[in-house]
Amino acid sequence: MTGAGAKTDCLMEKLQGIAVSPGVAIGEAVVMDSEGFRIPRRFVARDAVEDELERLQKAIAAVSKDVARKRDAVSKELGGKYGAIFETHLQILQDSGLRSDLEEMIRQRHYSPEYAVSRAFNRYAQVFQRLRSRTHAERANDLVDIEKRLLRNLLGRRREEISHLTLPVLVLAHNLTPSEAANLDRNYVRGFVTEVGGPGSHTAIVAEALAIPAVVGTGPFLTEVSGGDLVIIDGDNGLVILHPDEETVARYHHEADQLRTLAARLQTLRDLPAVTADGVRIDLFGNIEFPYEVDRCLERGADGVGLYRTEFLYLGAEIEPDEDVHYQAYSRVLTTMGKRPVTIRTFDMGADKVPLFPPPEDERNPCLGLRSIRLALRNVPMFRTQLRAILRASTLGNLQIMFPLISTLLELRQAKMVLADVIEDLEEHGVEFDRNVPVGMMVEVPSAVIMIDQFVEEVDFLSIGTNDLIQYTLAVDRSNKDVVGLYNSSDPAVLKLIAMTIQAAKRKKIPVHLCGQMSGNSTYTMLLIGMGLRQFSMTPSAIPEIKKICRSVAVKDCESVARRALCLDNARDIKSYLRDELKKRVPELIQ
Ligand code: PEP
Ligand code: MG
């Protein structure tokens, strides 16, 4: 191993990932460990060097003792073959090359022992990973394991949580769950990158809600950066640039300025309605995950809230939220939105949105398992608590209730029965609520579209959830980077299902809106208007751009675009046709 960590100058490196939240962020990296702590770039004072070296020696000695104990115990119980794994760890800890690298970093460069350990081990692991053999990959894993043990020992109780930041940073992590992403400090986190994750994951959706640039699914790269390194996140093109050179930094600063100018121009449309050039009114609603986002909806000129993902109330909580917690959240949203409509979706947990309680089941196919409305119908007391709070809040504004992931008529009827039961209960106890609250369902499973003419007889409105509809129609995991090329809003099969849903709602004269990410993607605005959609619900930051398109186009032109697009037989041709049409009509939006 000796000498592997000698290289100190880092060359610029570009990583291609999946663009999930637009914008450009330039700044210092914080590398988030899989255990959720971060290694800050710290230096030690010249006169503290000897003490810090001693601290490092003590940490190595303590970890070595621990590893030797494990080796002996494992050898005794399972045999020497297994104990040998820990023997390898001990050899690494005693390696003279590693030790002198660490000493040099602390003595010459005045790095803190934590930072020196994280840097040295990163470099070594990188060398092994590049060799691309199984044995070397295992050795890289051994290194990561030892690094963690050393850091745990060095940081002790001083482990710095990612939630306690004091300076602006870009977060780099292997993975972030939706609730971890939601808990990032909005004052300091300017963007994030994850090695895994897909375009429709809820972590991606949270990034948009936070309005910070984000890239997911880059593949492994964390061994190539250290906390404090300069990084650029290009959230429009899914690029991450490590150790950028001066010219690249200057180019991205210029791009960020241009984006700010465009955003300021679009913001002037805030108080104008989204009316097409031939006078057709389009409603643009906001999607929210947290009550505070209503302020952002109003700032961006939303006509209401088209989707409130209430499951986020459960995700970060240690215990199940009670009725009052629900009520407080809903009343904040309703009172802020005034007369504007607010669609509250009952909790949609499961798949990638797993609460801390009850302990998650080990499901083999979480997307096809006990998620969403299925979970609600298995936990009726929990479902009733939420429904009571929603109904009580209905007196405060213009509220609608929506059930997620309905796949059969019986499921819808069961959910409505629980609701009817809660209504009866409130009436019995003289609790005030609005008796005319509209009840709708999400259309996000192909079976719901196949049966859509029956469904429209039993609901007051529909909402098309394309994030899941794409996943279930094309059998493509929305959170898996390896199938990102197959996860297409523009697939003709998906478009046909959307068209069928819009037409069924029209025939029955009930409202239909689309609340998947597709709604805030400018590529699809003309197509969806042309297909007859008049209500869009999207991440609030996308509203100004979509409004600009609505005000720039005529419905009859959109209809001819839709007719043409629906005649094409594959996602790639449809998407490029739509991009060309948008470029012709609203050129300033295409970079
Ligand atoms: C959808 O599936 O399109 C949707 C809006 O719901 P979610 O993204 O929360 O699954
Ligand atoms: Mg969904």
Side-chain angles (χ1 to χ4, degrees):
M1 257 177 24
T2 310
K7 185 175 144 247
T8 52
D9 293 332
C10 299
L11 288 178
M12 181 164 93
E13 190 174 339
K14 269 190 195 170
L15 308 165
Q16 182 67 59
I18 303 162
V20 292
S21 184
V24 167
I26 305 169
E28 280 200 8
V30 150
V31 180
M32 193 168 152
D33 183 88
S34 58
E35 291 173 29
F37 59 89
R38 64 195 173 98
I39 317 304
R41 182 161 66 149
R42 288 268 160 76
F43 296 93
V44 294
R46 193 178 295 270
D47 57 6
V49 162
E50 292 308 323
D51 288 348
E52 293 297 308
L53 277 170
E54 197 185 321
R55 201 158 66 81
L56 176 70
Q57 299 314 337
K58 277 190 182 151
I60 293 178
V63 171
S64 302
K65 205 165 144 195
D66 196 38
V67 173
R69 235 190 340 255
K70 278 222 165 63
R71 175 198 57 196
D72 297 342
V74 169
S75 304
K76 200 164 148 213
E77 257 181 51
L78 305 171
K81 192 172 129 198
Y82 296 97
I85 298 169
F86 294 99
E87 184 58 38
T88 314
H89 286 198
L90 267 181
Q91 281 166 8
I92 295 172
L93 281 163
Q94 306 308 331
D95 184 86
S96 59
L98 172 70
R99 281 172 172 247
S100 70
D101 276 354
L102 288 171
E103 194 177 323
E104 191 263 343
M105 285 190 200
I106 298 170
R107 212 182 273 290
Q108 310 296 334
R109 287 184 247 171
H110 295 178
Y111 288 170
S112 70
E114 290 86 350
Y115 187 52
V117 164
S118 119
R119 250 185 122 82
F121 276 80
N122 266 351
R123 292 274 157 76
Y124 281 107
Q126 208 176 323
V127 170
F128 282 111
Q129 269 163 359
R130 286 206 182 122
L131 296 175
R132 291 187 180 279
S133 81
R134 203 168 135 216
T135 328
H136 289 118
E138 277 163 14
R139 182 52 62 94
N141 286 341
D142 287 337
L143 285 164
V144 171
D145 199 46
I146 302 166
E147 179 198 357
K148 277 204 183 126
R149 283 171 191 275
L150 276 174
L151 286 175
R152 244 179 258 140
N153 183 290
L154 284 166
L155 288 164
R157 287 223 228 98
R158 291 185 306 113
R159 279 193 203 184
E160 300 194 35
E161 303 291 338
I162 197 76
S163 49
H164 298 137
L165 295 167
T166 50
L167 289 170
V169 291
L170 310 187
V171 171
L172 312 180
H174 173 66
N175 193 12
L176 288 174
T177 63
S179 56
E180 278 170 339
N183 286 331
L184 292 175
D185 186 336
R186 287 182 292 137
N187 293 320
Y188 296 112
V189 176
R190 298 289 149 85
F192 71 74
V193 183
T194 60
E195 293 184 320
V196 297
S201 65
H202 286 89
T203 300
I205 288 167
V206 169
E208 283 208 282
L210 296 172
I212 53 173
V215 173
V216 302
T218 54
F221 76 97
L222 289 181
T223 49
E224 289 163 40
V225 272
S226 302
D229 285 355
L230 189 64
V231 172
I232 297 175
I233 302 177
D234 173 349
D236 293 289
N237 299 301
L239 284 174
V240 181
I241 300 160
L242 310 177
H243 322 296
D245 58 27
E246 273 177 33
E247 191 196 323
T248 309
V249 173
R251 186 160 51 79
Y252 271 103
H253 272 304
H254 178 65
E255 195 162 307
D257 283 346
Q258 281 185 320
L259 288 173
R260 269 192 291 274
T261 311
L262 176 63
R265 241 193 355 253
L266 292 174
Q267 192 56 21
T268 59
L269 302 176
R270 189 185 74 172
D271 298 321
L272 299 174
V275 175
T276 60
D278 47 356
V280 176
R281 174 69 204 239
I282 311 288
D283 290 323
L284 301 182
F285 302 130
N287 289 349
I288 63 168
E289 286 71 38
F290 307 97
Y292 69 77
E293 285 181 89
V294 281
D295 300 331
R296 211 164 279 159
C297 286
L298 294 181
E299 274 161 31
R300 303 302 173 117
D303 296 309
V305 170
L307 169 65
Y308 177 7
R309 290 184 166 98
T310 59
E311 55 275 11
F312 279 86
L313 273 174
Y314 300 78
L315 295 188
E318 302 274 331
I319 52 164
E320 188 190 317
D322 62 17
E323 189 179 318
D324 202 47
V325 170
H326 283 279
Y327 181 78
Q328 296 305 333
Y330 307 150
S331 50
R332 157 102 161 87
V333 172
L334 283 156
T335 47
T336 312
M337 293 310 284
K339 292 201 177 86
R340 297 174 181 85
V342 171
T343 303
I344 298 191
R345 179 175 78 179
T346 60
F347 63 80
D348 178 20
M349 275 178 292
D352 65 339
K353 291 180 285 195
V354 184
L356 302 172
F357 66 90
E361 293 275 333
D362 188 16
E363 286 201 283
R364 271 174 179 240
N365 277 315
C367 291
L368 304 180
L370 200 57
R371 67 166 288 207
S372 199
I373 195 71
R374 303 168 186 180
L375 196 68
L377 295 173
R378 285 282 185 94
N379 291 281
V380 172
M382 185 157 110
F383 194 26
R384 284 176 63 97
T385 301
Q386 179 176 36
L387 289 172
R388 270 180 70 88
I390 297 176
L391 285 167
R392 279 176 52 213
S394 65
T395 56
L396 304 172
N398 181 357
L399 183 151
Q400 321 199 103
I401 297 179
M402 177 160 79
F403 298 125
L405 207 81
I406 296 289
S407 53
T408 69
L409 279 155
L410 286 183
E411 211 167 40
L412 172 67
R413 288 175 194 154
Q414 260 181 290
K416 285 177 71 177
M417 252 154 59
V418 178
L419 179 65
D421 210 40
V422 174
I423 287 178
E424 204 176 298
D425 202 44
L426 291 181
E427 274 169 347
E428 239 172 60
H429 290 87
V431 180
E432 283 216 11
F433 66 97
D434 175 2
R435 277 162 184 72
N436 300 314
V437 171
V439 178
M441 62 177 265
M442 294 207 55
V443 178
E444 39 189 356
V445 185
S447 63
V449 184
I450 294 166
M451 297 295 286
I452 200 69
D453 287 321
Q454 280 74 26
F455 277 112
V456 291
E457 298 297 328
E458 305 195 19
V459 289
D460 300 314
F461 68 94
L462 299 175
S463 181
I464 308 174
T466 44
N467 303 339
D468 276 314
L469 190 61
I470 299 166
Q471 157 164 276
Y472 294 122
T473 304
L474 301 172
V476 180
D477 181 349
R478 58 192 270 190
S479 304
N480 182 343
K481 71 180 174 56
D482 297 328
V483 285
V484 61
L486 301 170
Y487 186 84
N488 276 314
S489 304
S490 53
D491 192 281
V494 173
L495 299 183
K496 278 195 181 147
L497 295 178
I498 296 173
M500 283 166 71
T501 309
I502 295 173
Q503 283 154 19
K506 267 201 161 159
R507 280 195 296 275
K508 183 65 190 165
K509 298 193 173 47
I510 60 169
V512 53
H513 61 258
L514 193 148
C515 64
Q517 298 304 94
M518 185 180 183
S519 194
N521 185 333
S522 55
T523 305
Y524 302 107
T525 315
M526 291 184 72
L527 170 72
L528 292 169
I529 294 176
M531 287 163 79
L533 192 76
R534 297 293 177 265
Q535 298 189 321
F536 292 62
S537 191
M538 64 198 75
T539 186
S541 55
I543 291 175
E545 186 178 50
I546 303 300
K547 189 184 276 186
K548 169 78 184 158
I549 300 173
C550 294
R551 292 177 60 85
S552 310
V553 299
V555 169
K556 65 174 176 24
D557 294 335
C558 296
E559 285 169 350
S560 83
V561 166
R563 263 195 305 276
R564 175 91 194 273
L566 291 171
C567 288
L568 300 171
D569 67 4
N570 68 81
R572 201 190 48 209
D573 290 354
I574 293 175
K575 192 165 178 186
S576 92
Y577 167 66
L578 294 175
R579 302 277 302 166
D580 287 348
E581 288 299 314
L582 179 63
K583 198 171 183 171
K584 265 193 249 162
R585 287 159 219 260
V586 202
E588 63 267 44
L589 291 186
I590 305 262
Q591 288 142 20

